[in-house]
Amino acid sequence: MDYQSILDRVHAAVKPIIGTGSVASYIPELAKVAANQFGIAMVDLNGNVYQAGAADTPFSIQSISKLFALTLAFHQEGDSIWSRVGREPSGTPFNSLVQLEQERGKPRNPFINAGALVVTDMLLTHYASEGGAGNALIKFIRKLANNDDISYDRAVAASEQGTSHRNAAMANFMKSFGNLNHNVNDVIETYCRNCAIEMSCVDLARAVTFLANHGAVPWSDEKILDASSAKRINALMLTCGTYDAAGDFAFRVGLPAKSGVGDGIVALIPGECGICVWSPALEESGNSYAGSVALEMLTSISGRSVF
Ligand code: GLN
């Protein structure tokens, strides 16, 4: 498969639609990101990198951090995490509160904000003594991406923390049901910091290759998750990774994926490669518009899909 020529074709084809949609403005610092940017990268299981556009430009990973946080919590706790967070698509926006009351403070899945707050709470328990859960997640991501320069943007973290009223409402609500062990402020602070981690498309495509390789980092063979757990994370990405557009995304793209309001989407082709596309701005459900179209083209041209 000539990945490079596929990426070049995709890049050329999406040019007219780059910038369509609107950048997230509820986090003031993210509203400053210039639309009209596009990057795409693929990293195969032999470590070969294919890229087009601004694939080395770091951007705010936002909800893509939920994928790494879940992996770390799953690695630590195994199946007991499912007693506190569900595995069903929510069909509601990523920051919705409506299901939480009816479902007694148990979030539908780990990829909506409520679920990620519970996962963050789990990490705070496991990494209390190692310089904190935020540091543990960055360390983990650096290893997966093979890049020690990865860090978080303090301005973005502070900007989100200052406007995290909805997340705080969810966290308080879940705490009232006994589904949060730590102080709400500590959970929100760590969550915002994780969302503010900056990575490029190349970093992110490389960081998800273990999910395309039965849970093992391809270049070191380090087992991050066993094959069955990796398969489960892929299933969650497919069914819940792109919020309430997950059905449409599976229909159009057909790959496990996780998006974020920093305009990036990671995806993977099992047994082949990790993929990341980044392009401001977003369509209504919070997924990059040009990014979604690019992934749809990529799978159509390559004929690859999990189906
Ligand atoms: N940090 C964002 C929030 O909590 C992440 C949301 C997202 O990327 N969908 O609202």
Side-chain angles (χ1 to χ4, degrees):
M1 181 78 46
D2 184 355
Y3 288 140
Q4 187 56 53
S5 73
I6 292 175
L7 294 189
D8 291 337
R9 263 177 81 183
V10 168
H11 185 200
V14 297
K15 272 188 182 145
I17 58 155
I18 292 172
T20 306
S22 40
V23 292
S25 56
Y26 72 101
I27 300 173
E29 207 57 28
L30 291 185
K32 297 181 184 166
V33 175
N36 250 332
Q37 306 188 74
F38 177 91
I40 189 164
M42 297 172 88
V43 177
D44 71 19
L45 300 189
N46 295 316
N48 299 309
V49 179
Y50 308 90
Q51 61 187 88
D56 288 314
T57 303
F59 60 88
S60 191
I61 71 169
Q62 291 297 315
S63 277
I64 299 173
S65 64
K66 293 174 167 82
L67 172 63
F68 302 115
L70 172 68
T71 302
L72 199 51
F74 202 15
H75 171 79
Q76 284 288 353
E77 291 202 18
D79 279 330
S80 69
I81 66 174
W82 308 119
S83 64
R84 294 178 59 191
V85 60
R87 312 188 288 250
E88 288 292 347
S90 71
T92 58
F94 61 81
N95 55 3
S96 171
L97 284 129
V98 293
Q99 286 160 345
L100 273 183
E101 177 156 34
Q102 227 168 13
E103 297 176 6
R104 305 197 56 76
K106 181 175 175 179
R108 276 285 173 101
N109 69 66
F111 292 153
I112 51 175
N113 287 14
L117 290 166
V118 170
V119 169
T120 303
D121 188 63
M122 294 172 185
L123 294 181
L124 283 168
T125 299
H126 287 287
Y127 295 100
S129 57
E130 288 177 34
N135 286 344
L137 190 72
I138 288 187
K139 219 169 122 187
F140 181 58
I141 287 176
R142 284 179 179 163
K143 176 171 71 178
L144 293 178
N146 204 17
N147 178 358
D148 283 340
D149 293 332
I150 290 168
S151 194
Y152 74 103
D153 183 320
R154 284 164 201 274
V156 172
S159 175
E160 179 166 5
Q161 231 183 301
T163 54
S164 246
H165 314 300
R166 252 173 194 264
N167 288 331
M170 284 175 218
N172 277 297
F173 206 50
M174 292 189 290
K175 193 155 178 83
S176 79
F177 283 106
N179 199 11
L180 215 66
N181 296 323
H182 294 86
N183 180 292
V184 166
N185 288 341
D186 293 346
V187 174
I188 298 286
E189 189 188 333
T190 304
Y191 168 82
C192 292
R193 187 177 145 165
N194 293 345
C195 288
I197 291 171
E198 292 202 314
M199 295 169 77
S200 68
C201 288
V202 172
D203 288 330
L204 278 162
R206 185 177 286 121
V208 298
T209 49
F210 76 97
L211 288 169
N213 191 40
H214 308 292
V217 175
W219 64 89
S220 66
D221 266 347
E222 183 184 350
K223 211 68 181 148
I224 302 295
L225 294 173
D226 61 45
S228 154
S229 303
K231 197 166 64 180
R232 288 174 166 170
I233 298 230
N234 285 344
L236 282 168
M237 289 170 79
L238 185 82
T239 53
C240 313
T242 45
Y243 317 117
D244 43 334
D248 190 52
F249 206 87
F251 183 88
R252 288 168 48 208
V253 177
L255 296 177
K258 180 75 203 89
S259 59
V261 294
D263 311 295
I265 309 173
V266 294
L268 58 103
I269 305 177
E272 282 195 40
C273 62
I275 305 169
C276 180
V277 61
W278 167 66
S279 188
L282 305 171
E283 38 90 339
E284 218 171 288
S285 56
N287 300 309
S288 163
Y289 176 72
S292 308
V293 173
L295 289 175
E296 184 177 0
M297 290 187 66
L298 191 156
T299 51
S300 301
I301 295 172
S302 66
R304 295 295 201 266
S305 138
V306 295
F307 301 109

